[in-house]
Amino acid sequence: MSESQGSEGTTQRLPVLEKEAGPAPLDQSASAADYDPPPPVDEKGGGERRFWSARRIPAAITALVLLFVAGMFLYDIASVRADRPAMRWRRELAQQLAERPLDDIWVLVGAGVAAVLGLWLLVLAITPGLRSVLPMRRTHPDVRAGLHRDLAALVLRDRAMEVSGVQSVRVRMRRSRADVRAVSHFRDLDDVRGDLDATLADAIRGLGLTRPPSLSVHVRRPGRKG
């Protein structure tokens, strides 16, 4: 608001229009170029990679083992430099390595264990992990989302139970396929299977996954009691 003095010396308040923050409705005073359109949704899929696991437990175990071994060797080397005898375990280890042949059973077992542990660490380093998280399509360049496979299976199960004639449903969600096994207590099995195919296909599209899994539906009659 602003103030102005009139000809008679009185003070009058002149109306002032204040523009509120935020987008205004599109009218003749604003053009469409003043508004940012929503980010497009990626409908093609296939561009998002799997989530990588942090591997905290294997990394922590490896770091602790290496720290312990390096600390023991460093302490022993410092003791020898201080004109003290080497530790007993290092003398025995050096003696065993010098006297035992390469084809000894314990040498082969130790080499095999070391090779298996090394191979395990390499597999952990080159594989993403987190197989239970399915990547979803991006709706914003700075946001990446994933859906747990158990939750996706629960959504498909709830949608399948809405189909007429379905008594019970068991859904097993995998990375590339959704296995659905339903029990129908009335209606023709082919009709129930057709409704399940249509309903679950729509449900899978609604999940927004980057790589929608294929659908496998099996319908049977309930078993006889007794």
Side-chain angles (χ1 to χ4, degrees), residues 82-107:
D83 296 332
R84 294 182 180 180
M87 299 180 68
R88 182 178 178 181
W89 65 269
R90 192 164 72 94
R91 294 197 305 267
E92 292 183 356
L93 179 61
Q95 182 180 0
Q96 292 293 333
L97 293 177
E99 295 178 354
R100 287 185 179 271
L102 295 179
D103 58 350
D104 185 80
I105 182 63
W106 291 109
V107 175

PDB file of all heavy atoms in Angstrom, residues 82-107:
ATOM      1  N   ALA A  82      63.327 -53.086  16.722  1.00  0.00           N
ATOM      2  CA  ALA A  82      63.751 -52.649  18.057  1.00  0.00           C
ATOM      3  C   ALA A  82      64.616 -53.688  18.752  1.00  0.00           C
ATOM      4  O   ALA A  82      64.716 -53.683  19.989  1.00  0.00           O
ATOM      5  CB  ALA A  82      62.532 -52.327  18.901  1.00  0.00           C
ATOM      6  N   ASP A  83      65.199 -54.606  17.977  1.00  0.00           N
ATOM      7  CA  ASP A  83      66.101 -55.636  18.487  1.00  0.00           C
ATOM      8  C   ASP A  83      65.399 -56.597  19.444  1.00  0.00           C
ATOM      9  O   ASP A  83      66.000 -57.101  20.401  1.00  0.00           O
ATOM     10  CB  ASP A  83      67.313 -55.001  19.188  1.00  0.00           C
ATOM     11  CG  ASP A  83      68.161 -54.198  18.211  1.00  0.00           C
ATOM     12  OD1 ASP A  83      68.157 -54.539  17.013  1.00  0.00           O
ATOM     13  OD2 ASP A  83      68.812 -53.229  18.648  1.00  0.00           O
ATOM     14  N   ARG A  84      64.142 -56.897  19.152  1.00  0.00           N
ATOM     15  CA  ARG A  84      63.409 -57.887  19.920  1.00  0.00           C
ATOM     16  C   ARG A  84      63.136 -59.095  19.016  1.00  0.00           C
ATOM     17  O   ARG A  84      63.084 -58.959  17.794  1.00  0.00           O
ATOM     18  CB  ARG A  84      62.094 -57.319  20.442  1.00  0.00           C
ATOM     19  CG  ARG A  84      62.266 -56.205  21.476  1.00  0.00           C
ATOM     20  CD  ARG A  84      60.916 -55.725  21.969  1.00  0.00           C
ATOM     21  NE  ARG A  84      61.066 -54.658  22.969  1.00  0.00           N
ATOM     22  CZ  ARG A  84      60.020 -54.070  23.558  1.00  0.00           C
ATOM     23  NH1 ARG A  84      58.773 -54.437  23.248  1.00  0.00           N
ATOM     24  NH2 ARG A  84      60.245 -53.130  24.441  1.00  0.00           N
ATOM     25  N   PRO A  85      62.974 -60.261  19.599  1.00  0.00           N
ATOM     26  CA  PRO A  85      62.727 -61.445  18.751  1.00  0.00           C
ATOM     27  C   PRO A  85      61.354 -61.362  18.081  1.00  0.00           C
ATOM     28  O   PRO A  85      60.408 -60.761  18.607  1.00  0.00           O
ATOM     29  CB  PRO A  85      62.785 -62.607  19.747  1.00  0.00           C
ATOM     30  CG  PRO A  85      62.469 -61.998  21.067  1.00  0.00           C
ATOM     31  CD  PRO A  85      63.048 -60.608  21.037  1.00  0.00           C
ATOM     32  N   ALA A  86      61.291 -61.973  16.914  1.00  0.00           N
ATOM     33  CA  ALA A  86      60.016 -61.988  16.183  1.00  0.00           C
ATOM     34  C   ALA A  86      59.002 -62.824  16.946  1.00  0.00           C
ATOM     35  O   ALA A  86      59.338 -63.693  17.756  1.00  0.00           O
ATOM     36  CB  ALA A  86      60.227 -62.558  14.787  1.00  0.00           C
ATOM     37  N   MET A  87      57.737 -62.538  16.694  1.00  0.00           N
ATOM     38  CA  MET A  87      56.680 -63.271  17.388  1.00  0.00           C
ATOM     39  C   MET A  87      56.687 -64.738  16.968  1.00  0.00           C
ATOM     40  O   MET A  87      57.091 -65.090  15.855  1.00  0.00           O
ATOM     41  CB  MET A  87      55.321 -62.631  17.080  1.00  0.00           C
ATOM     42  CG  MET A  87      55.218 -61.173  17.540  1.00  0.00           C
ATOM     43  SD  MET A  87      53.613 -60.433  17.180  1.00  0.00           S
ATOM     44  CE  MET A  87      52.583 -61.357  18.303  1.00  0.00           C
ATOM     45  N   ARG A  88      56.228 -65.568  17.887  1.00  0.00           N
ATOM     46  CA  ARG A  88      56.312 -67.014  17.667  1.00  0.00           C
ATOM     47  C   ARG A  88      55.483 -67.453  16.462  1.00  0.00           C
ATOM     48  O   ARG A  88      55.928 -68.298  15.667  1.00  0.00           O
ATOM     49  CB  ARG A  88      55.848 -67.738  18.922  1.00  0.00           C
ATOM     50  CG  ARG A  88      55.939 -69.256  18.821  1.00  0.00           C
ATOM     51  CD  ARG A  88      55.511 -69.892  20.120  1.00  0.00           C
ATOM     52  NE  ARG A  88      55.560 -71.355  20.014  1.00  0.00           N
ATOM     53  CZ  ARG A  88      55.213 -72.173  21.002  1.00  0.00           C
ATOM     54  NH1 ARG A  88      54.801 -71.677  22.169  1.00  0.00           N
ATOM     55  NH2 ARG A  88      55.294 -73.478  20.826  1.00  0.00           N
ATOM     56  N   TRP A  89      54.315 -66.877  16.290  1.00  0.00           N
ATOM     57  CA  TRP A  89      53.444 -67.306  15.198  1.00  0.00           C
ATOM     58  C   TRP A  89      54.057 -66.988  13.839  1.00  0.00           C
ATOM     59  O   TRP A  89      53.902 -67.746  12.890  1.00  0.00           O
ATOM     60  CB  TRP A  89      52.070 -66.645  15.316  1.00  0.00           C
ATOM     61  CG  TRP A  89      52.071 -65.150  15.146  1.00  0.00           C
ATOM     62  CD1 TRP A  89      52.194 -64.218  16.120  1.00  0.00           C
ATOM     63  CD2 TRP A  89      51.971 -64.437  13.911  1.00  0.00           C
ATOM     64  NE1 TRP A  89      52.176 -62.954  15.604  1.00  0.00           N
ATOM     65  CE2 TRP A  89      52.029 -63.059  14.246  1.00  0.00           C
ATOM     66  CE3 TRP A  89      51.836 -64.811  12.577  1.00  0.00           C
ATOM     67  CZ2 TRP A  89      51.963 -62.062  13.286  1.00  0.00           C
ATOM     68  CZ3 TRP A  89      51.767 -63.813  11.611  1.00  0.00           C
ATOM     69  CH2 TRP A  89      51.817 -62.457  11.958  1.00  0.00           C
ATOM     70  N   ARG A  90      54.816 -65.878  13.752  1.00  0.00           N
ATOM     71  CA  ARG A  90      55.425 -65.541  12.465  1.00  0.00           C
ATOM     72  C   ARG A  90      56.618 -66.449  12.174  1.00  0.00           C
ATOM     73  O   ARG A  90      56.865 -66.826  11.010  1.00  0.00           O
ATOM     74  CB  ARG A  90      55.845 -64.077  12.429  1.00  0.00           C
ATOM     75  CG  ARG A  90      56.227 -63.593  11.034  1.00  0.00           C
ATOM     76  CD  ARG A  90      56.273 -62.090  10.951  1.00  0.00           C
ATOM     77  NE  ARG A  90      57.420 -61.551  11.644  1.00  0.00           N
ATOM     78  CZ  ARG A  90      58.588 -61.276  11.049  1.00  0.00           C
ATOM     79  NH1 ARG A  90      58.755 -61.548   9.758  1.00  0.00           N
ATOM     80  NH2 ARG A  90      59.573 -60.750  11.722  1.00  0.00           N
ATOM     81  N   ARG A  91      57.366 -66.825  13.220  1.00  0.00           N
ATOM     82  CA  ARG A  91      58.476 -67.750  13.000  1.00  0.00           C
ATOM     83  C   ARG A  91      57.970 -69.124  12.561  1.00  0.00           C
ATOM     84  O   ARG A  91      58.524 -69.747  11.641  1.00  0.00           O
ATOM     85  CB  ARG A  91      59.300 -67.875  14.289  1.00  0.00           C
ATOM     86  CG  ARG A  91      60.010 -66.592  14.696  1.00  0.00           C
ATOM     87  CD  ARG A  91      61.123 -66.886  15.699  1.00  0.00           C
ATOM     88  NE  ARG A  91      60.628 -67.613  16.848  1.00  0.00           N
ATOM     89  CZ  ARG A  91      60.215 -67.040  17.990  1.00  0.00           C
ATOM     90  NH1 ARG A  91      60.221 -65.703  18.092  1.00  0.00           N
ATOM     91  NH2 ARG A  91      59.803 -67.769  19.012  1.00  0.00           N
ATOM     92  N   GLU A  92      56.899 -69.573  13.212  1.00  0.00           N
ATOM     93  CA  GLU A  92      56.341 -70.875  12.819  1.00  0.00           C
ATOM     94  C   GLU A  92      55.752 -70.821  11.423  1.00  0.00           C
ATOM     95  O   GLU A  92      55.882 -71.782  10.645  1.00  0.00           O
ATOM     96  CB  GLU A  92      55.285 -71.306  13.825  1.00  0.00           C
ATOM     97  CG  GLU A  92      55.845 -71.651  15.204  1.00  0.00           C
ATOM     98  CD  GLU A  92      54.769 -72.134  16.141  1.00  0.00           C
ATOM     99  OE1 GLU A  92      53.584 -72.122  15.710  1.00  0.00           O
ATOM    100  OE2 GLU A  92      55.085 -72.516  17.278  1.00  0.00           O
ATOM    101  N   LEU A  93      55.097 -69.725  11.087  1.00  0.00           N
ATOM    102  CA  LEU A  93      54.529 -69.585   9.738  1.00  0.00           C
ATOM    103  C   LEU A  93      55.630 -69.577   8.682  1.00  0.00           C
ATOM    104  O   LEU A  93      55.503 -70.249   7.638  1.00  0.00           O
ATOM    105  CB  LEU A  93      53.701 -68.302   9.652  1.00  0.00           C
ATOM    106  CG  LEU A  93      53.062 -67.986   8.291  1.00  0.00           C
ATOM    107  CD1 LEU A  93      52.100 -69.096   7.885  1.00  0.00           C
ATOM    108  CD2 LEU A  93      52.340 -66.639   8.326  1.00  0.00           C
ATOM    109  N   ALA A  94      56.703 -68.848   8.934  1.00  0.00           N
ATOM    110  CA  ALA A  94      57.810 -68.821   7.979  1.00  0.00           C
ATOM    111  C   ALA A  94      58.456 -70.197   7.848  1.00  0.00           C
ATOM    112  O   ALA A  94      58.833 -70.624   6.742  1.00  0.00           O
ATOM    113  CB  ALA A  94      58.836 -67.784   8.408  1.00  0.00           C
ATOM    114  N   GLN A  95      58.565 -70.917   8.943  1.00  0.00           N
ATOM    115  CA  GLN A  95      59.156 -72.255   8.892  1.00  0.00           C
ATOM    116  C   GLN A  95      58.280 -73.222   8.122  1.00  0.00           C
ATOM    117  O   GLN A  95      58.770 -74.031   7.316  1.00  0.00           O
ATOM    118  CB  GLN A  95      59.391 -72.765  10.315  1.00  0.00           C
ATOM    119  CG  GLN A  95      60.047 -74.144  10.377  1.00  0.00           C
ATOM    120  CD  GLN A  95      60.264 -74.609  11.809  1.00  0.00           C
ATOM    121  OE1 GLN A  95      59.925 -73.896  12.757  1.00  0.00           O
ATOM    122  NE2 GLN A  95      60.839 -75.797  11.963  1.00  0.00           N
ATOM    123  N   GLN A  96      56.955 -73.163   8.357  1.00  0.00           N
ATOM    124  CA  GLN A  96      56.040 -74.056   7.645  1.00  0.00           C
ATOM    125  C   GLN A  96      56.040 -73.762   6.144  1.00  0.00           C
ATOM    126  O   GLN A  96      56.020 -74.687   5.319  1.00  0.00           O
ATOM    127  CB  GLN A  96      54.623 -73.910   8.221  1.00  0.00           C
ATOM    128  CG  GLN A  96      54.477 -74.420   9.633  1.00  0.00           C
ATOM    129  CD  GLN A  96      54.643 -75.926   9.717  1.00  0.00           C
ATOM    130  OE1 GLN A  96      54.391 -76.651   8.755  1.00  0.00           O
ATOM    131  NE2 GLN A  96      55.088 -76.402  10.872  1.00  0.00           N
ATOM    132  N   LEU A  97      56.057 -72.494   5.791  1.00  0.00           N
ATOM    133  CA  LEU A  97      56.083 -72.145   4.368  1.00  0.00           C
ATOM    134  C   LEU A  97      57.383 -72.561   3.704  1.00  0.00           C
ATOM    135  O   LEU A  97      57.413 -72.860   2.499  1.00  0.00           O
ATOM    136  CB  LEU A  97      55.862 -70.636   4.199  1.00  0.00           C
ATOM    137  CG  LEU A  97      54.480 -70.110   4.582  1.00  0.00           C
ATOM    138  CD1 LEU A  97      54.433 -68.597   4.441  1.00  0.00           C
ATOM    139  CD2 LEU A  97      53.393 -70.758   3.731  1.00  0.00           C
ATOM    140  N   ALA A  98      58.468 -72.603   4.467  1.00  0.00           N
ATOM    141  CA  ALA A  98      59.758 -72.975   3.892  1.00  0.00           C
ATOM    142  C   ALA A  98      59.922 -74.489   3.774  1.00  0.00           C
ATOM    143  O   ALA A  98      60.602 -74.973   2.856  1.00  0.00           O
ATOM    144  CB  ALA A  98      60.884 -72.395   4.745  1.00  0.00           C
ATOM    145  N   GLU A  99      59.297 -75.234   4.690  1.00  0.00           N
ATOM    146  CA  GLU A  99      59.513 -76.681   4.710  1.00  0.00           C
ATOM    147  C   GLU A  99      58.437 -77.461   3.971  1.00  0.00           C
ATOM    148  O   GLU A  99      58.718 -78.529   3.412  1.00  0.00           O
ATOM    149  CB  GLU A  99      59.580 -77.161   6.165  1.00  0.00           C
ATOM    150  CG  GLU A  99      60.778 -76.616   6.931  1.00  0.00           C
ATOM    151  CD  GLU A  99      60.791 -77.072   8.375  1.00  0.00           C
ATOM    152  OE1 GLU A  99      59.800 -77.723   8.782  1.00  0.00           O
ATOM    153  OE2 GLU A  99      61.770 -76.777   9.087  1.00  0.00           O
ATOM    154  N   ARG A 100      57.204 -76.993   3.964  1.00  0.00           N
ATOM    155  CA  ARG A 100      56.127 -77.771   3.345  1.00  0.00           C
ATOM    156  C   ARG A 100      56.195 -77.677   1.820  1.00  0.00           C
ATOM    157  O   ARG A 100      56.363 -76.586   1.267  1.00  0.00           O
ATOM    158  CB  ARG A 100      54.752 -77.282   3.820  1.00  0.00           C
ATOM    159  CG  ARG A 100      54.421 -77.678   5.245  1.00  0.00           C
ATOM    160  CD  ARG A 100      53.016 -77.269   5.608  1.00  0.00           C
ATOM    161  NE  ARG A 100      52.688 -77.676   6.963  1.00  0.00           N
ATOM    162  CZ  ARG A 100      52.160 -78.854   7.284  1.00  0.00           C
ATOM    163  NH1 ARG A 100      51.917 -79.733   6.320  1.00  0.00           N
ATOM    164  NH2 ARG A 100      51.878 -79.146   8.544  1.00  0.00           N
ATOM    165  N   PRO A 101      56.029 -78.776   1.113  1.00  0.00           N
ATOM    166  CA  PRO A 101      56.006 -78.734  -0.372  1.00  0.00           C
ATOM    167  C   PRO A 101      54.699 -78.136  -0.872  1.00  0.00           C
ATOM    168  O   PRO A 101      53.700 -78.050  -0.146  1.00  0.00           O
ATOM    169  CB  PRO A 101      56.140 -80.206  -0.760  1.00  0.00           C
ATOM    170  CG  PRO A 101      55.591 -80.958   0.406  1.00  0.00           C
ATOM    171  CD  PRO A 101      55.946 -80.153   1.633  1.00  0.00           C
ATOM    172  N   LEU A 102      54.719 -77.750  -2.136  1.00  0.00           N
ATOM    173  CA  LEU A 102      53.534 -77.107  -2.709  1.00  0.00           C
ATOM    174  C   LEU A 102      52.358 -78.065  -2.864  1.00  0.00           C
ATOM    175  O   LEU A 102      51.201 -77.629  -2.913  1.00  0.00           O
ATOM    176  CB  LEU A 102      53.880 -76.491  -4.068  1.00  0.00           C
ATOM    177  CG  LEU A 102      54.891 -75.337  -4.037  1.00  0.00           C
ATOM    178  CD1 LEU A 102      55.152 -74.836  -5.446  1.00  0.00           C
ATOM    179  CD2 LEU A 102      54.396 -74.206  -3.147  1.00  0.00           C
ATOM    180  N   ASP A 103      52.612 -79.368  -2.965  1.00  0.00           N
ATOM    181  CA  ASP A 103      51.523 -80.326  -3.125  1.00  0.00           C
ATOM    182  C   ASP A 103      51.021 -80.857  -1.790  1.00  0.00           C
ATOM    183  O   ASP A 103      50.280 -81.841  -1.747  1.00  0.00           O
ATOM    184  CB  ASP A 103      51.984 -81.486  -4.007  1.00  0.00           C
ATOM    185  CG  ASP A 103      53.211 -82.192  -3.443  1.00  0.00           C
ATOM    186  OD1 ASP A 103      53.817 -81.672  -2.482  1.00  0.00           O
ATOM    187  OD2 ASP A 103      53.576 -83.260  -3.990  1.00  0.00           O
ATOM    188  N   ASP A 104      51.404 -80.236  -0.685  1.00  0.00           N
ATOM    189  CA  ASP A 104      50.909 -80.641   0.623  1.00  0.00           C
ATOM    190  C   ASP A 104      49.417 -80.339   0.724  1.00  0.00           C
ATOM    191  O   ASP A 104      48.925 -79.338   0.174  1.00  0.00           O
ATOM    192  CB  ASP A 104      51.682 -79.925   1.723  1.00  0.00           C
ATOM    193  CG  ASP A 104      51.283 -80.407   3.102  1.00  0.00           C
ATOM    194  OD1 ASP A 104      51.751 -81.473   3.532  1.00  0.00           O
ATOM    195  OD2 ASP A 104      50.459 -79.709   3.742  1.00  0.00           O
ATOM    196  N   ILE A 105      48.693 -81.169   1.460  1.00  0.00           N
ATOM    197  CA  ILE A 105      47.243 -81.037   1.526  1.00  0.00           C
ATOM    198  C   ILE A 105      46.827 -79.715   2.173  1.00  0.00           C
ATOM    199  O   ILE A 105      45.886 -79.057   1.726  1.00  0.00           O
ATOM    200  CB  ILE A 105      46.630 -82.248   2.283  1.00  0.00           C
ATOM    201  CG1 ILE A 105      45.111 -82.140   2.311  1.00  0.00           C
ATOM    202  CG2 ILE A 105      47.216 -82.342   3.678  1.00  0.00           C
ATOM    203  CD1 ILE A 105      44.460 -82.186   0.979  1.00  0.00           C
ATOM    204  N   TRP A 106      47.561 -79.291   3.234  1.00  0.00           N
ATOM    205  CA  TRP A 106      47.192 -78.050   3.900  1.00  0.00           C
ATOM    206  C   TRP A 106      47.521 -76.836   3.044  1.00  0.00           C
ATOM    207  O   TRP A 106      46.801 -75.826   3.086  1.00  0.00           O
ATOM    208  CB  TRP A 106      47.906 -77.964   5.242  1.00  0.00           C
ATOM    209  CG  TRP A 106      47.397 -78.972   6.239  1.00  0.00           C
ATOM    210  CD1 TRP A 106      48.045 -80.078   6.689  1.00  0.00           C
ATOM    211  CD2 TRP A 106      46.107 -78.970   6.842  1.00  0.00           C
ATOM    212  NE1 TRP A 106      47.247 -80.780   7.564  1.00  0.00           N
ATOM    213  CE2 TRP A 106      46.049 -80.116   7.677  1.00  0.00           C
ATOM    214  CE3 TRP A 106      45.001 -78.129   6.779  1.00  0.00           C
ATOM    215  CZ2 TRP A 106      44.926 -80.442   8.440  1.00  0.00           C
ATOM    216  CZ3 TRP A 106      43.877 -78.443   7.528  1.00  0.00           C
ATOM    217  CH2 TRP A 106      43.849 -79.581   8.346  1.00  0.00           C
ATOM    218  N   VAL A 107      48.568 -76.919   2.259  1.00  0.00           N
ATOM    219  CA  VAL A 107      48.881 -75.824   1.339  1.00  0.00           C
ATOM    220  C   VAL A 107      47.802 -75.699   0.275  1.00  0.00           C
ATOM    221  O   VAL A 107      47.350 -74.602  -0.076  1.00  0.00           O
ATOM    222  CB  VAL A 107      50.261 -76.033   0.701  1.00  0.00           C
ATOM    223  CG1 VAL A 107      50.543 -74.957  -0.350  1.00  0.00           C
ATOM    224  CG2 VAL A 107      51.353 -76.009   1.767  1.00  0.00           C
TER     225      VAL A 107
END
